[in-house]
Amino acid sequence: MAMGIGEIWSQVGSIMASIMFVYAMYEQFFPQHLRRSFQKHTSKFTTLFYPYIQIKFHELSGEKLKHSETYKIIQTYLSSNSTKGAKKLKAEVIKDSQTPLVLSMDDNQEIVDEFNGIKVWWSANHTTSKSQSFSFYPASDEKRFLTLTFHKRNRDVITTSYIQHVLEEGKAITTKNRQLKLHTNNPSDDWWGSRISKWSHTIFEHPARFETLAMEPEKKEEIINDLVKFKRGKEYYAKIGKAWKRGYLLFGPPGTGKSTMISAIANFMNYDVYDLELTTIKNNNELKRLLIDTSSKSIIVIEDIDCSLDLTGQRKEKKEEDDDENAEKMDPIKKAEKEEQKKSKVTLSGLLNFIDGIWSACGSERIIIFTTNFVDKLDPALIRRGRMDKHIEMSYCGYEAFKVLARNYLDVESHDELFPVIEKLLGEVNMTPADVAENLMPKSITEDSESCLKNLIQSLENEKKKAEEAKKKVEDEAEKEKQELNKEKEKVKANEKSEEKEVKENGFTH
């Protein structure tokens, strides 16, 4: 029996040697063009009996061999849906993701997927350059690709519906798993050389949500409905011929929660945030380039826009300009501030084009948010409807907003004695949500919810007392001015009577 096995292996070895000899002769003596012709006809002959079609998706594409977005999306889809069928998996740690450990099938592995009862096969492959030159970076010679194999009778379904399904599912999974980012623009001097990115970013981890936002429920619901309508509006915006974007103006006193509202919107929409600092931008052209470099599904924020640049659209009188120049000559600090402002040549016109001009259509699904403490200072052209589509007033804390804060900070839903007192005082005193929250936050381990509520009541009463004193002071000053005015009137009348008396006594007039 052993001899029989030995003979078999001997014959197999002889056959393999013969095949290798024939192949070597073929490579040595057949010209290149004949080999190509032979392979072409062999491929056609094989196709007659091989009923399957293959589609390759390469990792690198284009003239500069950039990473293909389609390859990444398909890889995400396969990693999430189909890796259970692979015997060998490859692990990779992805930064800025909620699921940092990503598993995918290893090279030369195959998995099966099914779509509407149709089976398809995916495999991960790579080719290595035959170059004999030595390199410290051998991986750069590798070309990776994914191969989709399916029966030719299902060609129409696979090339239309299935591939579209894979891309949509892959994008949805990517959006769901990604970690939100907070971007800020780099100074344009850093856009060249080794640091070519126009934006720097960090992980966006602000916990604000609409559930924890101190705002009247009706107003909050109105904003949420507007955001949902926008998110589902791709076809609608295409139909009306407008760029898929929306502008929000948040205005109100400091401490009313404008920045918190932005964070809540970002978490609700699952959008990245781009915090745009206008004072670091030299001109309108740089502003456009920054816009181009932002991603879709993002929020572009310009906070305190009334303080960012002189964008009020108003012109100074000549006398005011001369006074400013004279003041600058006297005060070197003012002169330095003026020079710093002159570095940025972003104009109102450039900002308007950024918001809703031709360049605003170079992306989709974007929200642009302006914040300001003084809405009256802004040029009407900047905040008109169509640019800032929705104006949201962030006002002082009302009773419903207080109840949200009490639930957030103290886990208290109601208090029979103290809540009615707070409701009455909030109707009489203007206090921002930030100040209310500060009073509700326990400052030591001995403070309980009731003591924090009493602290708030005390603060509200103090504010009420201050407001009454300020009001009385204003009334007293007004009364004092009225009395002085009456005295002046009486003095004028007395002078007039004295002049009349003098006329009668002397018999002449001046």
Side-chain angles (χ1 to χ4, degrees):
M1 185 68 178
M3 289 295 294
I5 294 176
E7 290 177 359
I8 291 172
W9 280 112
S10 177
Q11 291 177 3
V12 169
S14 178
I15 293 170
M16 291 298 296
S18 300
I19 292 173
M20 293 300 294
F21 176 76
V22 172
Y23 182 74
M25 295 294 290
Y26 168 77
E27 288 282 329
Q28 183 70 25
F29 296 105
F30 270 69
Q32 184 74 23
H33 67 279
L34 288 179
R35 291 207 302 269
R36 283 199 299 265
S37 179
F38 177 75
Q39 290 170 356
K40 179 180 176 182
H41 287 87
T42 303
S43 177
K44 286 183 178 180
F45 180 77
T46 306
T47 304
L48 296 175
F49 301 96
Y50 186 73
Y52 295 97
I53 297 174
Q54 291 185 336
I55 300 178
K56 293 182 180 179
F57 298 89
H58 292 271
E59 181 183 21
L60 303 176
S61 61
E63 292 181 1
K64 296 185 179 180
L65 294 180
K66 293 182 179 180
H67 283 272
S68 168
E69 193 68 27
T70 302
Y71 180 90
K72 292 180 182 178
I73 292 171
I74 295 174
Q75 197 174 43
T76 301
Y77 169 83
L78 295 175
S79 299
S80 177
N81 292 281
S82 308
T83 48
K84 293 179 182 179
K87 300 259 189 317
K88 293 182 180 180
L89 298 175
K90 182 170 55 180
E92 186 178 3
V93 177
I94 305 295
K95 287 182 65 178
D96 305 337
S97 174
Q98 294 180 6
T99 54
L101 184 63
V102 176
L103 298 176
S104 58
M105 58 179 171
D106 202 358
D107 292 337
N108 303 316
Q109 291 292 298
E110 187 178 85
I111 55 177
V112 181
D113 194 20
E114 191 170 324
F115 178 74
N116 293 341
I118 300 172
K119 279 189 176 183
V120 299
W121 294 264
W122 286 96
S123 61
N125 312 99
H126 75 280
T127 59
T128 306
S129 173
K130 294 182 180 180
S131 172
Q132 300 298 319
S133 60
F134 176 77
S135 173
F136 287 104
Y137 308 99
S140 63
D141 292 332
E142 291 186 348
K143 295 181 180 179
R144 299 183 178 276
F145 56 92
L146 296 168
T147 303
L148 170 62
T149 305
F150 55 90
H151 200 284
K152 62 183 180 183
R153 65 170 173 264
N154 301 316
R155 180 185 187 123
D156 292 340
V157 176
I158 299 302
T159 55
T160 55
S161 304
Y162 175 68
I163 292 179
Q164 184 66 26
H165 161 76
V166 170
L167 295 177
E168 289 176 357
E169 285 291 312
K171 288 178 182 177
I173 295 167
T174 301
T175 302
K176 180 182 177 182
N177 291 339
R178 74 188 178 98
Q179 180 71 52
L180 297 186
K181 300 173 188 175
L182 174 62
H183 302 258
T184 185
N185 51 301
N186 295 320
S188 58
D189 294 338
D190 295 337
W191 290 3
W192 316 106
S194 60
R195 189 178 180 183
I196 60 173
S197 176
K198 299 177 182 62
W199 297 91
S200 297
H201 75 267
T202 186
I203 302 302
F204 182 76
E205 297 179 311
H206 200 293
R209 305 185 312 278
F210 276 106
E211 293 84 357
T212 61
L213 196 64
M215 179 178 278
E216 303 302 312
E218 298 81 6
K219 197 171 185 179
K220 194 185 300 186
E221 191 65 25
E222 179 187 336
I223 296 169
I224 291 172
N225 290 337
D226 190 82
L227 291 168
V228 172
K229 179 70 175 176
F230 170 76
K231 196 167 189 177
R232 298 174 181 173
K234 182 178 181 180
E235 289 79 11
Y236 177 76
Y237 278 85
K239 185 183 77 171
I240 64 176
K242 287 187 66 176
W244 190 10
K245 65 175 184 60
R246 192 152 178 80
Y248 286 80
L249 175 68
L250 308 183
F251 65 95
T256 50
K258 294 184 285 294
S259 296
T260 306
M261 168 66 79
I262 294 169
S263 300
I265 293 174
N267 286 323
F268 180 77
M269 301 292 281
N270 200 30
Y271 285 2
D272 286 344
V273 178
Y274 288 84
D275 183 17
L276 184 62
E277 179 55 58
L278 287 177
T279 55
T280 66
I281 305 171
K282 292 182 179 178
N283 51 52
N284 295 334
N285 188 48
E286 287 188 3
L287 186 63
K288 292 174 185 175
R289 294 176 67 186
L290 282 168
L291 176 64
I292 293 171
D293 215 37
T294 60
S295 64
S296 297
K297 295 182 183 293
S298 62
I299 300 172
I300 300 173
V301 179
I302 303 178
E303 293 199 87
D304 297 321
I305 190 168
D306 52 301
C307 303
S308 297
L309 292 172
D310 184 16
L311 298 170
T312 59
Q314 300 173 0
R315 298 288 183 267
K316 291 185 177 181
E317 297 292 336
K318 178 65 178 174
K319 184 177 181 302
E320 291 180 0
E321 291 178 352
D322 292 340
D323 290 343
D324 284 349
E325 288 178 5
N326 293 332
E328 286 167 20
K329 291 177 182 178
M330 298 295 293
D331 189 344
I333 296 177
K334 284 187 177 181
K335 185 175 182 180
E337 289 176 352
K338 190 73 174 177
E339 290 298 321
E340 184 67 25
Q341 289 180 355
K342 285 181 180 179
K343 288 183 180 179
S344 178
K345 295 183 180 179
V346 176
T347 64
L348 177 62
S349 174
L351 189 60
L352 297 181
N353 284 325
F354 175 86
I355 299 168
D356 68 347
I358 295 175
W359 289 94
S360 68
C362 63
S364 62
E365 205 171 346
R366 284 199 187 102
I367 294 175
I368 300 173
I369 298 180
F370 290 167
T371 72
T372 180
N373 297 332
F374 308 102
V375 68
D376 295 335
K377 287 186 177 181
L378 298 179
D379 193 296
L382 188 64
I383 60 175
R384 69 163 176 80
R385 307 291 177 173
R387 289 191 174 121
M388 293 294 103
D389 305 285
K390 191 168 184 63
H391 294 190
I392 302 172
E393 182 178 7
M394 307 298 291
S395 57
Y396 293 103
C397 188
Y399 180 61
E400 292 299 325
F402 154 73
K403 289 197 293 185
V404 174
L405 292 172
R407 185 169 61 250
N408 293 345
Y409 284 82
L410 303 173
D411 292 323
V412 173
E413 295 288 345
S414 64
H415 194 291
D416 295 337
E417 295 179 7
L418 302 181
F419 269 42
V421 177
I422 293 172
E423 181 178 11
K424 182 175 182 298
L425 287 170
L426 286 174
E428 300 170 346
V429 179
N430 288 334
M431 182 175 280
T432 66
D435 289 332
V436 172
E438 180 61 26
N439 282 287
L440 291 177
M441 182 181 290
K443 306 300 188 298
S444 69
I445 58 175
T446 59
E447 282 190 318
D448 58 9
S449 59
E450 188 165 328
S451 63
C452 290
L453 291 172
K454 288 179 179 178
N455 289 341
L456 175 60
I457 291 173
Q458 184 63 48
S459 294
L460 287 168
E461 288 176 345
N462 291 340
E463 288 297 321
K464 181 180 179 182
K465 185 178 179 181
K466 288 180 184 177
E468 289 174 348
E469 289 175 352
K471 183 179 179 182
K472 188 175 185 305
K473 185 178 180 181
V474 170
E475 289 175 350
D476 290 345
E477 289 178 354
E479 182 64 27
K480 186 178 179 180
E481 289 179 0
K482 184 178 178 181
Q483 290 175 0
E484 289 178 355
L485 183 62
N486 289 335
K487 286 181 182 179
E488 289 293 329
K489 288 181 179 179
E490 289 175 2
K491 190 183 291 185
V492 170
K493 286 182 180 179
N495 289 336
E496 289 177 350
K497 287 181 180 179
S498 176
E499 289 178 357
E500 289 177 1
K501 184 177 178 182
E502 185 179 353
V503 168
K504 289 179 180 179
E505 290 177 353
N506 297 327
F508 66 87
T509 61
H510 291 290

